[in-house]
Amino acid sequence: MRQFAKSIYKTIQKMGKKRTHASDEPRPAKIRKPTAADLEAEQSLPEFIIDEAKGLRRVVPYWFTHRTMAKGRWWGRKVLEVFQKEFQDQSPDYYKRAIEAGKITVNHEQKSIDYVLRNGDLVSHSTHRHEPPVSNAKISIVFQDDDLLVIDKPPGIPVHPSGRYNHNTVLGILKTPEYGFKNLFSVNRIDRLTSGILLVALRKDKAAELAAQLADRTVEKTYLCRVKGRFPSEPIHCAEPILVLSNKLGVNTVSPDGRPCETNFTLLNYNPETDTSVVVCEPKTGRTHQIRVHLQFLGYPIANDPIYCNTDLWGPDLGKGGVKDPQQVMENIKNTKFLADLGDGVVDLPTVVPAIEKDTAQQTLVGSDGTAGEEAAVSDPLNANETKLDSGSSSESADAPPADAFPCAECAITRPDPLPSQLRIYLHSWKYSGQGWAYETKMPDWAEETFSEKQ
């Protein structure tokens, strides 16, 4: 009996002790389920404005709520401190006012600036979104059946939501009444400024099937580009490894420390008047900006490439033969007054994504400019950080306070519209073929031998 009493006493002592194990964590907070009004608001459709005169598609500004589960490093910290320390797109005072105004909430409820975040908390931030305009060029359908949609993507439109783009995307536009599609699953990825073949599955199993083929490198890809100078008449095989110079900015370069990479290049035609060549490109591996980086290394960068054909960034030799001073290149990019001037839009993240995560944005699924690899998905040269919210996060239109209840600084700014030349790059995804299938688009106008860059 005495032994039993001692056992009970020890058990009670253990129960009363404070947990100290490394795996211990705060008890999950109970999240209020979204109301019917929440769900209805999240299904609201965007309002597009078609600017026929300028050939642009605009989205009327709207309130948008970014949501994410509290990260482990946020637990035990005040919500104001988390936003002020980890988010850099607004001033510290803005976050204080946003919390007090209910623009930043936890578990769908307004909290004080001293609220301490816990495991299981759902953090939301409502912002007034102003999406940049995109090209209003028609999205041509190359092939369609019950499982797959193959389109010829116009340049100047991102594939899917990322960064400042949410509705003004290929997938978003295809879901409008104009096209009438519903469930869409992008298979390959090409840059916003790049045009050409885009595979869009209409069922998840078809997306998985094609993604597996891409991952196994059984898909043949052929691109067209127009480069500076007279490209050699003999085919060139470039096997230089490529290194990510900056995940945050999505800039890459040839480096012996990089990952294996192979591209075949063949001259198609040369125009002596413009001193430019049209080249057929066949990437055998998939790395971010593989074609663009290899061409830069060879000394024939894409003629209108805002990144890899920019002497302000790479110097007079434009990185031919490899970058001599990578750190200087990074400094040049950082010192650029407006990253948008480089041609791929403003660099930013959905407001809820902390700045500390910008450098670790994961590259997933299939390729940027068709060559970002079956494991990469950086959509814009300077927008590697323009990524979907991570697992457990979401971004939806939601019922936020009316615009006049919380002034929007962006509403007071008039930004210039992009010029047609800023909405495309001379890089086109021309042909894709795999196990029992092959698709091809028309050649772009700039691939003609007599094309003039002034056209």
Side-chain angles (χ1 to χ4, degrees), residues 226 271 273-274 276 424 426 445-446 448-455:
R226 179 173 286 276
N271 186 335
E273 293 185 6
T274 60
T276 58
R424 73 173 179 176
Y426 296 149
D445 61 342
W446 51 258
E448 297 176 4
E449 185 172 357
T450 58
F451 174 77
S452 171
E453 292 163 319
K454 295 180 181 180
Q455 291 179 350

Side-chain angles (χ1 to χ4, degrees), residues 67-224:
R67 300 191 178 99
T68 189
M69 302 306 294
K71 315 300 179 186
R73 64 179 179 275
W74 298 359
W75 302 345
R77 297 168 60 188
K78 296 179 179 180
V79 62
L80 177 60
E81 177 203 347
V82 168
F83 273 85
Q84 290 182 336
K85 293 286 181 66
E86 298 205 19
F87 295 75
Q88 299 178 350
D89 61 323
Q90 298 288 351
S91 67
D93 179 65
Y94 165 84
Y95 293 116
K96 180 176 181 295
R97 292 186 293 108
I99 294 172
E100 293 173 339
K103 296 300 300 303
I104 294 176
T105 63
V106 180
N107 303 330
H108 305 287
E109 297 176 349
Q110 185 171 348
K111 301 292 184 181
S112 73
I113 59 175
D114 295 323
Y115 176 83
V116 177
L117 292 171
R118 298 182 293 170
N119 175 27
D121 278 346
L122 176 65
V123 182
S124 304
H125 186 185
S126 294
T127 60
H128 199 226
R129 295 198 66 162
H130 293 247
E131 295 193 33
V134 300
S135 169
N136 187 40
K138 183 176 179 58
I139 299 176
S140 301
I141 296 178
V142 177
F143 172 83
Q144 180 184 352
D145 63 12
D146 293 338
D147 301 328
L148 180 67
L149 176 67
V150 181
I151 65 170
D152 185 353
K153 184 187 95 64
I157 310 175
V159 174
H160 59 60
S162 58
R164 298 183 69 200
Y165 300 92
N166 181 40
H167 298 302
N168 248 350
T169 64
V170 171
L171 298 188
I173 294 170
L174 287 174
K175 292 178 181 178
T176 63
E178 180 182 354
Y179 295 92
F181 292 96
K182 293 183 179 180
N183 298 319
L184 300 173
F185 309 91
S186 60
V187 177
N188 67 319
R189 286 282 306 277
I190 55 179
D191 286 348
R192 178 172 63 88
L193 300 182
T194 305
S195 59
I197 288 286
L198 189 68
L199 307 176
V200 182
L202 303 179
R203 296 203 331 257
K204 284 186 178 180
D205 56 346
K206 186 63 175 182
E209 173 192 329
L210 292 174
Q213 292 183 35
L214 285 161
D216 293 338
R217 295 179 181 170
T218 59
V219 175
E220 296 293 327
K221 297 169 284 186
T222 304
Y223 284 71
L224 294 171

Side-chain angles (χ1 to χ4, degrees), residues 197 222-224 428-432 439-443:
I197 288 286
T222 304
Y223 284 71
L224 294 171
H428 180 80
S429 173
W430 187 25
K431 302 177 183 179
Y432 263 65
Y439 305 108
E440 177 180 340
T441 71
K442 295 180 180 179
M443 296 177 65

